[in-house]
Amino acid sequence: MTDQGILARRFEKARPRLVAIASRLLSSTADAEDVVQEAWLRLERTDADGIENLDAWLTTVVSRLSLDALRAPRRAREQSWHVEPWLDEPSAITDDPVEEAERSDHLSVALFVVLETLSPAERVAFVLHDVFGCPFEEIAVALDRSVDAARQLASRARRRLQGAPAPLRPRPEHARELVNAWLVAAQQGDFKALLGLLDDGAVLRADYGTNTQTLQGAQAITEQAVLSARLAAHSTPILIDQRPGVAAVLNGRVVSIMAFTILHGRIARLDVLADAARLKHLDLSIVTHD
Protein backbone atom coordinates (compact mmCIF):
# COMPACT_ATOMS: atom_id res chain seq x y z
CA MET A 1 0.00 0.00 0.00
CA THR A 2 1.31 3.45 -0.93
CA ASP A 3 2.38 5.44 2.13
CA GLN A 4 -0.01 8.37 2.70
CA GLY A 5 2.87 10.68 3.54
CA ILE A 6 4.60 9.93 0.24
CA LEU A 7 1.29 10.34 -1.60
CA ALA A 8 0.69 13.72 0.07
CA ARG A 9 4.17 14.93 -0.86
CA ARG A 10 3.68 13.87 -4.48
CA PHE A 11 0.35 15.65 -4.55
CA GLU A 12 1.83 18.85 -3.11
CA LYS A 13 4.54 18.73 -5.74
CA ALA A 14 1.85 18.51 -8.43
CA ARG A 15 -0.43 21.13 -6.82
CA PRO A 16 1.00 24.27 -8.53
CA ARG A 17 0.49 22.75 -11.98
CA LEU A 18 -3.00 21.53 -11.09
CA VAL A 19 -4.01 24.96 -9.76
CA ALA A 20 -2.59 26.57 -12.92
CA ILE A 21 -4.66 24.24 -15.12
CA ALA A 22 -7.87 24.79 -13.15
CA SER A 23 -7.27 28.56 -12.98
CA ARG A 24 -6.98 28.82 -16.73
CA LEU A 25 -10.05 26.67 -17.26
CA LEU A 26 -12.21 28.43 -14.67
CA SER A 27 -10.67 31.93 -14.69
CA SER A 28 -10.86 31.96 -10.89
CA THR A 29 -8.12 31.12 -8.42
CA ALA A 30 -10.65 30.45 -5.66
CA ASP A 31 -12.60 28.00 -7.83
CA ALA A 32 -9.34 26.39 -8.92
CA GLU A 33 -8.25 25.84 -5.33
CA ASP A 34 -11.60 24.21 -4.57
CA VAL A 35 -11.26 21.88 -7.55
CA VAL A 36 -7.72 20.87 -6.62
CA GLN A 37 -8.76 20.22 -3.01
CA GLU A 38 -11.56 17.98 -4.26
CA ALA A 39 -9.02 16.13 -6.40
CA TRP A 40 -6.97 15.44 -3.27
CA LEU A 41 -10.03 14.14 -1.41
CA ARG A 42 -10.75 11.79 -4.30
CA LEU A 43 -7.16 10.62 -4.32
CA GLU A 44 -7.40 9.84 -0.61
CA ARG A 45 -10.42 7.62 -1.32
CA THR A 46 -8.71 5.84 -4.21
CA ASP A 47 -6.33 2.87 -4.15
CA ALA A 48 -3.22 4.73 -5.30
CA ASP A 49 -1.44 1.44 -6.01
CA GLY A 50 -3.73 1.01 -8.98
CA ILE A 51 -2.76 4.37 -10.53
CA GLU A 52 -0.07 3.91 -13.16
CA ASN A 53 0.62 7.59 -13.81
CA LEU A 54 -0.31 9.83 -10.89
CA ASP A 55 0.29 13.12 -12.76
CA ALA A 56 -1.96 12.03 -15.62
CA TRP A 57 -4.59 10.78 -13.18
CA LEU A 58 -4.62 14.08 -11.29
CA THR A 59 -4.78 16.10 -14.53
CA THR A 60 -7.77 14.03 -15.62
CA VAL A 61 -9.60 14.46 -12.32
CA VAL A 62 -8.95 18.23 -12.18
CA SER A 63 -10.01 18.61 -15.82
CA ARG A 64 -13.23 16.67 -15.28
CA LEU A 65 -14.08 18.64 -12.15
CA SER A 66 -13.38 21.89 -14.01
CA LEU A 67 -15.51 20.69 -16.93
CA ASP A 68 -18.40 20.00 -14.55
CA ALA A 69 -17.98 23.48 -13.07
CA LEU A 70 -17.95 25.11 -16.50
CA ARG A 71 -21.18 23.35 -17.40
CA ALA A 72 -22.92 24.12 -14.11
CA PRO A 73 -25.71 26.70 -14.52
CA ARG A 74 -24.79 28.36 -11.19
CA ARG A 75 -21.13 28.85 -12.12
CA ALA A 76 -21.57 32.57 -12.99
CA ARG A 77 -22.95 33.15 -9.49
CA GLU A 78 -20.09 31.42 -7.70
CA GLN A 79 -17.16 33.32 -9.18
CA SER A 80 -14.83 35.01 -6.74
CA TRP A 81 -14.55 38.80 -6.47
CA HIS A 82 -11.49 40.70 -5.27
CA VAL A 83 -12.12 44.40 -4.68
CA GLU A 84 -9.43 47.07 -4.42
CA PRO A 85 -9.31 50.86 -4.65
CA TRP A 86 -8.96 52.51 -8.01
CA LEU A 87 -6.12 54.94 -7.49
CA ASP A 88 -5.82 58.16 -9.46
CA GLU A 89 -2.49 56.89 -10.75
CA PRO A 90 -2.84 53.11 -11.15
CA SER A 91 0.31 51.00 -11.06
CA ALA A 92 1.73 50.05 -14.41
CA ILE A 93 0.39 46.88 -16.02
CA THR A 94 1.50 44.93 -19.02
CA ASP A 95 -0.28 45.42 -22.33
CA ASP A 96 0.19 41.73 -23.15
CA PRO A 97 -2.73 39.69 -21.73
CA VAL A 98 -0.91 36.40 -22.28
CA GLU A 99 2.16 37.62 -20.40
CA GLU A 100 -0.02 38.83 -17.56
CA ALA A 101 -1.80 35.48 -17.39
CA GLU A 102 1.51 33.69 -17.09
CA ARG A 103 2.70 35.82 -14.17
CA SER A 104 -0.61 35.77 -12.29
CA ASP A 105 -2.86 33.08 -10.87
CA HIS A 106 -5.77 33.83 -13.12
CA LEU A 107 -6.46 34.82 -16.69
CA SER A 108 -6.49 38.47 -17.62
CA VAL A 109 -9.86 39.87 -18.60
CA ALA A 110 -8.93 40.05 -22.27
CA LEU A 111 -7.81 36.44 -22.54
CA PHE A 112 -10.78 35.28 -20.47
CA VAL A 113 -13.22 36.99 -22.81
CA VAL A 114 -11.68 35.23 -25.81
CA LEU A 115 -11.66 31.80 -24.13
CA GLU A 116 -15.26 32.25 -23.05
CA THR A 117 -16.32 32.02 -26.71
CA LEU A 118 -15.38 28.31 -26.61
CA SER A 119 -17.59 25.47 -25.44
CA PRO A 120 -16.49 23.80 -22.17
CA ALA A 121 -15.09 20.78 -24.03
CA GLU A 122 -13.22 22.98 -26.54
CA ARG A 123 -11.81 25.04 -23.70
CA VAL A 124 -10.51 21.98 -21.86
CA ALA A 125 -8.99 20.49 -25.01
CA PHE A 126 -7.31 23.75 -26.01
CA VAL A 127 -5.95 24.66 -22.57
CA LEU A 128 -4.66 21.16 -21.81
CA HIS A 129 -2.99 20.69 -25.19
CA ASP A 130 -1.92 24.15 -26.35
CA VAL A 131 -1.10 25.67 -22.97
CA PHE A 132 0.07 22.69 -20.91
CA GLY A 133 1.20 20.30 -23.64
CA CYS A 134 -0.91 17.34 -22.52
CA PRO A 135 -1.09 14.47 -25.05
CA PHE A 136 -4.44 13.92 -26.78
CA GLU A 137 -4.64 10.42 -25.29
CA GLU A 138 -4.79 12.02 -21.84
CA ILE A 139 -7.22 14.73 -22.96
CA ALA A 140 -9.50 12.10 -24.48
CA VAL A 141 -9.76 10.34 -21.11
CA ALA A 142 -10.51 13.63 -19.34
CA LEU A 143 -13.27 14.48 -21.81
CA ASP A 144 -14.52 10.89 -22.19
CA ARG A 145 -14.09 11.25 -25.95
CA SER A 146 -12.05 9.46 -28.56
CA VAL A 147 -8.53 10.67 -29.28
CA ASP A 148 -9.64 11.91 -32.71
CA ALA A 149 -12.55 13.79 -31.14
CA ALA A 150 -10.24 15.43 -28.59
CA ARG A 151 -7.87 16.45 -31.39
CA GLN A 152 -10.78 17.92 -33.37
CA LEU A 153 -12.01 19.88 -30.34
CA ALA A 154 -8.58 21.46 -29.85
CA SER A 155 -8.29 22.21 -33.56
CA ARG A 156 -11.76 23.79 -33.64
CA ALA A 157 -10.94 25.89 -30.58
CA ARG A 158 -7.69 27.03 -32.18
CA ARG A 159 -9.48 28.12 -35.36
CA ARG A 160 -12.13 29.99 -33.39
CA LEU A 161 -9.54 31.80 -31.31
CA GLN A 162 -7.44 32.67 -34.34
CA GLY A 163 -10.51 34.06 -36.05
CA ALA A 164 -11.60 36.11 -33.05
CA PRO A 165 -10.47 39.71 -32.75
CA ALA A 166 -7.88 40.09 -30.02
CA PRO A 167 -9.47 42.18 -27.26
CA LEU A 168 -7.00 44.69 -25.90
CA ARG A 169 -7.14 45.78 -22.31
CA PRO A 170 -8.14 49.44 -22.20
CA ARG A 171 -5.69 51.94 -20.82
CA PRO A 172 -6.54 52.71 -17.17
CA GLU A 173 -7.30 56.37 -17.87
CA HIS A 174 -9.68 55.46 -20.71
CA ALA A 175 -11.43 52.85 -18.58
CA ARG A 176 -11.85 55.41 -15.78
CA GLU A 177 -13.32 57.94 -18.22
CA LEU A 178 -15.78 55.33 -19.50
CA VAL A 179 -16.87 54.33 -15.99
CA ASN A 180 -17.29 57.97 -14.96
CA ALA A 181 -19.31 58.64 -18.11
CA TRP A 182 -21.52 55.66 -17.29
CA LEU A 183 -22.21 56.93 -13.77
CA VAL A 184 -23.01 60.45 -14.96
CA ALA A 185 -25.32 59.20 -17.71
CA ALA A 186 -27.07 56.81 -15.30
CA GLN A 187 -27.54 59.57 -12.72
CA GLN A 188 -29.07 61.83 -15.34
CA GLY A 189 -31.10 59.06 -16.97
CA ASP A 190 -29.45 59.97 -20.28
CA PHE A 191 -30.68 57.13 -22.49
CA LYS A 192 -28.73 58.20 -25.56
CA ALA A 193 -25.45 58.61 -23.68
CA LEU A 194 -25.78 55.21 -22.02
CA LEU A 195 -26.59 53.56 -25.32
CA GLY A 196 -23.49 55.09 -26.87
CA LEU A 197 -21.25 53.61 -24.15
CA LEU A 198 -22.44 50.04 -24.75
CA ASP A 199 -21.47 47.55 -27.41
CA ASP A 200 -24.53 46.48 -29.42
CA GLY A 201 -24.11 42.90 -28.23
CA ALA A 202 -23.40 43.78 -24.60
CA VAL A 203 -24.50 41.38 -21.86
CA LEU A 204 -25.41 42.14 -18.24
CA ARG A 205 -25.45 39.33 -15.67
CA ALA A 206 -26.71 40.09 -12.18
CA ASP A 207 -26.80 37.96 -9.03
CA TYR A 208 -29.38 39.11 -6.48
CA GLY A 209 -29.01 36.08 -4.23
CA THR A 210 -32.57 34.79 -4.52
CA ASN A 211 -32.51 35.08 -8.30
CA THR A 212 -30.31 35.98 -11.23
CA GLN A 213 -30.92 38.20 -14.24
CA THR A 214 -29.37 38.27 -17.70
CA LEU A 215 -29.94 41.12 -20.12
CA GLN A 216 -28.86 40.87 -23.73
CA GLY A 217 -28.19 43.87 -25.95
CA ALA A 218 -27.46 47.55 -25.42
CA GLN A 219 -31.13 48.56 -25.55
CA ALA A 220 -32.25 46.29 -22.72
CA ILE A 221 -29.27 47.20 -20.52
CA THR A 222 -29.81 50.92 -21.08
CA GLU A 223 -33.49 50.64 -20.13
CA GLN A 224 -32.43 48.99 -16.86
CA ALA A 225 -29.66 51.54 -16.20
CA VAL A 226 -31.96 54.57 -16.40
CA LEU A 227 -33.91 53.10 -13.48
CA SER A 228 -30.76 53.02 -11.33
CA ALA A 229 -30.11 56.75 -10.92
CA ARG A 230 -30.11 56.55 -7.09
CA LEU A 231 -27.52 53.76 -7.06
CA ALA A 232 -25.36 55.59 -9.61
CA ALA A 233 -25.46 58.74 -7.47
CA HIS A 234 -24.01 56.81 -4.54
CA SER A 235 -21.44 54.78 -6.48
CA THR A 236 -17.66 55.04 -6.52
CA PRO A 237 -15.17 53.58 -9.04
CA ILE A 238 -13.22 50.53 -7.86
CA LEU A 239 -11.24 47.67 -9.36
CA ILE A 240 -12.79 44.18 -9.24
CA ASP A 241 -10.35 41.39 -10.12
CA GLN A 242 -8.38 44.09 -11.95
CA ARG A 243 -11.47 45.02 -13.97
CA PRO A 244 -12.92 48.54 -13.87
CA GLY A 245 -16.03 48.62 -11.73
CA VAL A 246 -18.22 50.55 -9.31
CA ALA A 247 -19.56 49.98 -5.81
CA ALA A 248 -22.94 51.38 -4.73
CA VAL A 249 -23.04 52.46 -1.07
CA LEU A 250 -26.30 53.29 0.70
CA ASN A 251 -26.43 54.23 4.39
CA GLY A 252 -22.80 53.21 4.84
CA ARG A 253 -23.32 49.73 3.39
CA VAL A 254 -22.25 48.36 0.00
CA VAL A 255 -25.44 47.12 -1.66
CA SER A 256 -23.95 46.10 -5.00
CA ILE A 257 -20.77 46.02 -7.04
CA MET A 258 -20.56 45.95 -10.82
CA ALA A 259 -17.58 44.95 -12.94
CA PHE A 260 -17.16 46.18 -16.52
CA THR A 261 -15.51 44.42 -19.44
CA ILE A 262 -14.46 46.98 -22.02
CA LEU A 263 -13.63 45.95 -25.58
CA HIS A 264 -12.75 48.26 -28.45
CA GLY A 265 -13.74 51.36 -26.50
CA ARG A 266 -17.20 50.20 -25.43
CA ILE A 267 -18.72 48.25 -22.55
CA ALA A 268 -19.19 44.67 -23.69
CA ARG A 269 -20.15 43.03 -20.42
CA LEU A 270 -21.37 43.99 -16.95
CA ASP A 271 -21.30 41.59 -13.99
CA VAL A 272 -23.38 42.70 -11.01
CA LEU A 273 -23.24 41.23 -7.51
CA ALA A 274 -26.10 42.35 -5.28
CA ASP A 275 -26.38 39.25 -3.11
CA ALA A 276 -26.14 40.56 0.47
CA ALA A 277 -24.91 37.20 1.77
CA ARG A 278 -22.00 37.05 -0.67
CA LEU A 279 -21.18 40.73 -0.29
CA LYS A 280 -20.74 40.19 3.47
CA HIS A 281 -17.87 37.79 2.76
CA LEU A 282 -15.94 40.30 0.63
CA ASP A 283 -13.42 42.77 1.96
CA LEU A 284 -15.19 46.02 1.10
CA SER A 285 -13.46 48.16 3.73
CA ILE A 286 -11.77 50.24 1.03
CA VAL A 287 -15.24 51.35 -0.12
CA THR A 288 -16.92 51.99 3.23
CA HIS A 289 -13.83 53.38 5.05
CA ASP A 290 -14.27 57.04 5.92
Side-chain angles (χ1 to χ4, degrees):
M1 181 179 292
T2 302
D3 181 83
Q4 283 296 106
I6 295 175
L7 194 63
R9 286 193 292 272
R10 292 182 65 186
F11 181 84
E12 288 305 315
K13 184 177 180 180
R15 181 186 288 273
R17 181 174 183 272
L18 297 175
V19 171
I21 290 174
S23 293
R24 281 152 179 77
L25 289 174
L26 300 175
S27 301
S28 165
T29 303
D31 289 348
E33 293 283 0
D34 289 344
V35 161
V36 173
Q37 183 60 26
E38 175 60 26
W40 164 247
L41 295 177
R42 294 193 179 193
L43 179 59
E44 282 190 309
R45 299 192 297 266
T46 302
D47 180 7
D49 290 333
I51 301 175
E52 294 183 7
N53 186 326
L54 182 60
D55 286 338
W57 187 91
L58 289 170
T59 298
T60 296
V61 171
V62 166
S63 299
R64 285 180 173 175
L65 290 170
S66 297
L67 188 62
D68 290 342
L70 286 169
R71 289 171 172 165
R74 287 176 58 85
R75 167 167 165 71
R77 295 187 58 195
E78 301 303 325
Q79 67 182 1
S80 61
W81 299 70
H82 173 68
V83 178
E84 57 187 297
W86 194 343
L87 305 176
D88 291 334
E89 297 180 1
S91 58
I93 57 173
T94 177
D95 290 329
D96 183 355
V98 177
E99 178 184 340
E100 181 170 301
E102 289 303 317
R103 69 180 181 83
S104 66
D105 289 333
H106 56 80
L107 289 172
S108 68
V109 172
L111 194 54
F112 168 62
V113 169
V114 175
L115 281 178
E116 209 179 33
T117 65
L118 305 178
S119 71
E122 288 173 342
R123 188 163 174 168
V124 169
F126 174 80
V127 169
L128 288 183
H129 182 265
D130 287 45
V131 179
F132 292 94
C134 295
F136 283 115
E137 290 78 9
E138 190 175 313
I139 298 170
V141 174
L143 292 173
D144 196 21
R145 306 281 185 96
S146 68
V147 174
D148 285 342
R151 186 177 287 108
Q152 289 173 3
L153 283 168
S155 178
R156 187 189 310 154
R158 203 175 298 115
R159 288 196 302 271
R160 291 181 65 180
L161 292 179
Q162 289 173 347
L168 298 177
R169 188 173 189 167
R171 296 182 64 83
E173 59 269 25
H174 174 66
R176 183 64 174 262
E177 290 174 1
L178 202 57
V179 169
N180 288 340
W182 171 272
L183 290 177
V184 170
Q187 290 173 28
Q188 298 176 351
D190 191 332
F191 193 94
K192 184 177 180 180
L194 287 168
L195 201 62
L197 296 172
L198 290 163
D199 181 82
D200 291 341
V203 177
L204 181 147
R205 295 188 177 93
D207 174 9
Y208 297 104
T210 56
N211 66 292
T212 60
Q213 178 186 42
T214 299
L215 296 177
Q216 301 274 355
Q219 181 85 14
I221 296 173
T222 298
E223 290 173 355
Q224 176 77 13
V226 296
L227 301 176
S228 306
R230 182 165 177 257
L231 284 180
H234 294 84
S235 294
T236 183
I238 57 174
L239 289 177
I240 304 172
D241 292 334
Q242 289 301 304
R243 298 165 63 185
V246 296
V249 183
L250 295 178
N251 300 320
R253 182 172 63 90
V254 177
V255 296
S256 70
I257 58 176
M258 179 164 62
F260 295 76
T261 296
I262 299 171
L263 299 178
H264 311 300
R266 289 192 173 189
I267 299 168
R269 172 170 161 170
L270 304 96
D271 291 293
V272 180
L273 178 61
D275 178 357
R278 289 186 62 201
L279 286 170
K280 284 200 320 187
H281 292 291
L282 301 181
D283 181 6
L284 299 172
S285 58
I286 59 99
V287 182
T288 56
H289 180 69
D290 292 330

